[in-house]
Amino acid sequence: IVNYPNTPINIDTLDLINKIARKDNLIKAFRKVKSNKGSPGIDRVAISDVSKDLQNIIAKLHSNIINGS
């Protein structure tokens, strides 16, 4: 987790970030967007494109959240 200089780390925040970043939660979120017929976001990636590479996308998203990037 990225910590800005002179900013105390709140343990509750770290716990929440870890819960959000869990791969099973990210997959649940994807399925919810898919069931709502979500449209492409700012990255213009369609749900069908994400579905094709879901495991790799989830792994990268998980890593990005945990690393703060």
Side-chain angles (χ1 to χ4, degrees):
I1 301 294
V2 173
N3 186 34
Y4 295 100
N6 304 318
T7 303
I9 296 175
N10 183 324
I11 298 302
D12 293 332
T13 301
L14 289 177
D15 187 47
L16 180 59
I17 290 170
N18 286 330
K19 287 178 182 177
I20 291 168
R22 282 189 9 216
K23 291 178 183 179
D24 63 312
N25 281 335
L26 296 174
I27 291 170
K28 282 182 191 176
F30 168 76
R31 289 182 180 151
K32 185 68 174 177
V33 170
K34 186 176 180 181
S35 73
N36 290 336
K37 301 188 186 327
S39 60
I42 195 166
D43 59 2
R44 299 178 191 236
V45 177
I47 293 294
S48 59
D49 295 331
V50 174
S51 292
K52 294 174 188 172
D53 197 25
L54 184 60
Q55 293 305 315
N56 288 330
I57 291 170
I58 292 295
K60 184 175 180 182
L61 182 56
H62 169 79
S63 178
N64 287 347
I65 293 170
I66 294 298
N67 295 320
S69 57

